[in-house]
Amino acid sequence: MSGGHQVLTLLLLSAVVVATLAVTSWVGSRRHASSQEFYAGGRLFTPLENGFAIAGDHMSAAAFLGIAGLVALYGYDGMLYSVGFLVAWLLVLLLIAEPVRNCGRYTLADVVAVRVRERPVRIALGCSSVTVSVLYLVAQLVGVGSLVALVLGSYGGAAYALTVLGVGALMVFHVVCGGMRAATWIQIAKAVLLMGGALTLTVLVLLRFGGDLAALLTSAAENSGHGKDFLAPGLRYGGADRASRLDFLSLGLALVLGTAGLPHVLARFCTVPTARAARRSAVWAIGLIGSFSLMTIVIGAGAAALVGTDAVRRSSAAGNTAVPLLSVELGGGAHATGGATVVALVAAVAFASVLAAVAGVTLAASSAMTHDLYAALTPRRDRPDGWSQNGRSPSGWSREGWPQRSWSQGGRRGGRKGEVAVARAAAVAIGAVAVGLSLSARELNVAFLLGLAFAVAASANLPVLLYALFWRRFTTCGAVCSVYGGLLPAVALVVFSPVVSGGPQSLFPGRDFAYFPLENPGLVSIPLGFLAGWLGTLLSHRSADPARHAETEVRSLTGAGAV
């Protein structure tokens, strides 16, 4: 791109930054720093608003750039990501949305703690939630760094590092100053922008082929270098290699089951006033996400047809630059004003999507660190003034049978301010870790990084959530075993997988300790998480409290006693 076109891109990106900063500053100046406001936005969002915010969480730059890139590189196999992400939301709608709203307060640990002893469960779920969130953040930062570096003409150089650092600083600012309310409104605006950008590219691609999808797919297969195999399974998964087939199954399990265990997704259901509103939020999100998934398939096929798979791979081996390359082609070329304008608009939309997504994920991670880890590990006398340990009776239950105040409620305004201050410090620490990892992972496909985050969520978070909601005999020992039994194997298998070493696109291409053959650990780690929870419950010295299960069941189904 020419110097003038790069200036246009920078101006649009600056406009996005200024707009998000204005929203955060406005929200921060109008709201008090209470725990409920910081973590859940006061629970004042409507189902439509929350549905758009959930869709904004999902329709990230990582999904936009990564999935379209995988479709451009691998055709049919790349489309499986879109299908997996969409199917996952049906599980969330049917099993998760309403019970989480009725039993939860701010984090996943709040839901599980209704059934079991709090301290060990909060420590375990705090660790798993932070791990999932950091992996998710790395995917977002890698995607936006690759995009901005490309449109500025220096892919892989200083532009990538500066972009990652800048976005990291902005996401911390949004969380520290605006909390959940600022993150939600930025996500809503981002969902509208990203849907508009994806729809524009989809229409432009279809116009090139006269609205004929068959002609688009035929041209994509011809220009992919794979012929008809481009539209058939096997280019990436499901081929003759048994490990490839197992990797495909592992990925499918992670995508379908992982969404229900993502901390920032579960937190969104606590921002509406009722369980009915949570269910309607999920319905809105499914409609928006389904439309977006179909558009990413068209965009990825368009990149293969108009740009060519080889050109996409030369620009980025992981396919992260397929969308901007397609935008340039649709606008008339890199040296044409139309091409530069289209790619600049796409870059601005993707940049806005990252700012919104990383703010929500960072907030979820800081909530887990503060509301769960810090509160469980810090002696009561060392906590900020008024930050009481759950406000419960020694048994943990009030005379009416319902859990009383949680860690964050405290008893006075000073305690709420103290917890919010700790959460803000935690957001800074998480942002620093995510930025550091992103600087080393720029060659990995961002959709694949998302798959790893989903695998850890499905292995560590989903089993304990389902057991706590639906299994009468579930105990504290089972909960702890379930979390660690899924988290530790998932992380260990990723470390010893081809993602980290043993290949040209690995984090450490010069080393080879890839003893686990699959790229996604879900096929092994997800069953281990469920198995560990089952065995831990059977081997527990303490039996489950039937009264707690009965109360949890009534509360999850009716909302009686919900916060």
Side-chain angles (χ1 to χ4, degrees):
M1 296 177 66
S2 65
H5 298 154
Q6 291 179 357
V7 171
L8 173 63
T9 302
L10 290 174
L11 288 175
L12 289 174
L13 296 181
S14 300
V16 170
V17 171
V18 171
T20 56
L21 290 177
V23 170
T24 301
S25 300
W26 178 73
V27 170
S29 65
R30 294 171 58 88
R31 296 288 167 180
H32 298 296
S34 66
S35 299
Q36 181 168 300
E37 181 64 36
F38 185 81
Y39 292 133
R43 296 191 175 88
L44 300 175
F45 295 107
T46 66
L48 177 61
E49 293 169 347
N50 199 42
F52 266 87
I54 292 173
D57 264 334
H58 172 86
M59 297 185 303
S60 59
F64 185 40
L65 302 177
I67 293 176
L70 288 176
V71 173
L73 294 179
Y74 304 108
Y76 179 90
D77 285 4
M79 299 176 191
L80 296 174
Y81 274 88
S82 290
V83 176
F85 283 131
L86 178 59
V87 172
W89 282 98
L90 299 178
L91 175 65
V92 173
L93 174 63
L94 295 175
L95 294 179
I96 300 300
E98 291 188 58
V100 166
R101 175 61 193 89
N102 286 332
C103 295
R105 184 173 179 83
Y106 303 131
T107 65
L108 170 61
D110 290 333
V111 180
V112 181
V114 173
R115 286 286 314 276
V116 297
R117 290 188 295 118
E118 288 197 64
R119 189 173 185 273
V121 170
R122 287 193 181 276
I123 294 173
L125 284 173
C127 293
S128 67
S129 296
V130 171
T131 302
V132 172
S133 299
V134 169
L135 285 172
Y136 204 95
L137 286 173
V138 171
Q140 305 293 338
L141 294 174
V142 169
V144 73
S146 300
L147 174 65
V148 174
L150 174 70
V151 297
L152 294 180
S154 59
Y155 179 75
Y160 175 89
L162 291 176
T163 301
V164 170
L165 290 171
V167 173
L170 287 171
M171 75 183 185
V172 171
F173 174 81
H174 292 317
V175 172
V176 168
C177 297
M180 177 60 80
R181 184 166 292 274
T184 299
W185 283 112
I186 294 173
Q187 285 164 344
I188 292 172
K190 163 270 191 89
V192 174
L193 287 174
L194 198 54
M195 285 290 288
L199 180 61
T200 301
L201 290 179
T202 300
V203 170
L204 291 176
V205 168
L206 292 176
L207 288 176
R208 283 289 189 98
F209 295 91
D212 190 346
L213 283 174
L216 167 62
L217 295 176
T218 300
S219 178
E222 292 174 351
N223 292 330
S224 68
H226 300 288
K228 293 183 179 179
D229 291 340
F230 185 77
L231 302 177
L235 285 184
R236 183 175 176 88
Y237 304 108
D241 183 13
R242 178 176 296 180
S244 179
R245 296 182 180 182
L246 293 176
D247 225 342
F248 164 69
L249 179 59
S250 184
L251 172 66
L253 285 174
L255 295 182
V256 172
L257 300 179
T259 301
L262 292 176
H264 63 283
V265 170
L266 297 174
R268 289 242 57 91
F269 293 117
C270 296
T271 63
V272 291
T274 64
R276 182 171 181 267
R279 183 180 67 251
R280 292 175 61 193
S281 299
V283 172
W284 275 107
I286 288 173
L288 294 169
I289 293 168
S291 302
F292 178 76
S293 298
L294 293 175
M295 288 188 287
T296 57
I297 293 175
V298 174
I299 292 169
L306 299 176
V307 179
T309 299
D310 289 339
V312 172
R313 186 174 283 110
R314 284 195 301 269
S315 175
S316 170
N320 296 333
T321 57
V323 174
L325 290 175
L326 174 64
S327 304
V328 171
E329 179 65 27
L330 292 173
H335 299 289
T337 301
T341 302
V342 174
V343 76
L345 290 172
V346 169
V349 170
F351 190 74
S353 72
V354 170
L355 290 180
V358 296
V361 178
T362 305
L363 180 60
S366 66
S367 301
M369 283 191 67
T370 308
H371 190 65
D372 299 330
L373 280 175
Y374 182 84
L377 295 173
T378 305
R380 186 181 307 184
R381 63 180 179 274
D382 295 334
R383 294 182 198 133
D385 179 39
W387 195 350
S388 69
Q389 184 179 357
N390 207 30
R392 296 186 179 183
S393 61
S395 66
W397 297 83
S398 65
R399 285 186 296 178
E400 290 79 10
W402 301 112
Q404 294 180 348
R405 295 180 297 177
S406 69
W407 295 93
S408 65
Q409 272 187 296
R412 290 170 283 178
R413 184 175 176 81
R416 296 195 296 268
K417 283 187 175 182
E419 182 178 1
V420 171
V422 175
R424 288 168 173 164
V428 176
I430 290 167
V433 172
V435 167
L437 293 175
S438 301
L439 293 176
S440 303
R442 65 173 179 261
E443 293 300 330
L444 293 180
N445 182 276
V446 289
F448 176 72
L449 287 170
L450 283 180
L452 294 182
F454 277 62
V456 177
S459 304
N461 293 350
L462 181 62
V464 69
L465 176 61
L466 294 181
Y467 281 147
L469 291 175
F470 302 112
W471 191 17
R472 181 182 299 274
R473 297 178 58 188
F474 195 49
T475 64
T476 302
C477 180
V480 174
C481 290
S482 181
V483 175
Y484 291 127
L487 174 64
L488 297 180
V491 174
L493 292 176
V494 169
V495 171
F496 295 107
S497 73
V499 176
V500 177
S501 68
Q505 297 184 29
S506 302
L507 282 176
F508 304 103
R511 306 289 297 275
D512 187 2
F513 45 89
Y515 306 116
F516 181 66
L518 304 183
E519 293 184 344
N520 192 294
L523 185 62
V524 177
S525 60
I526 295 173
L528 285 177
F530 282 97
L531 179 62
W534 178 71
L535 288 176
T537 296
L538 293 183
L539 300 176
S540 176
H541 297 295
R542 295 184 179 182
S543 301
D545 186 347
R548 284 198 175 192
H549 171 73
E551 291 162 351
T552 302
E553 188 174 35
V554 172
R555 179 172 173 178
S556 66
L557 294 176
T558 67
V563 180

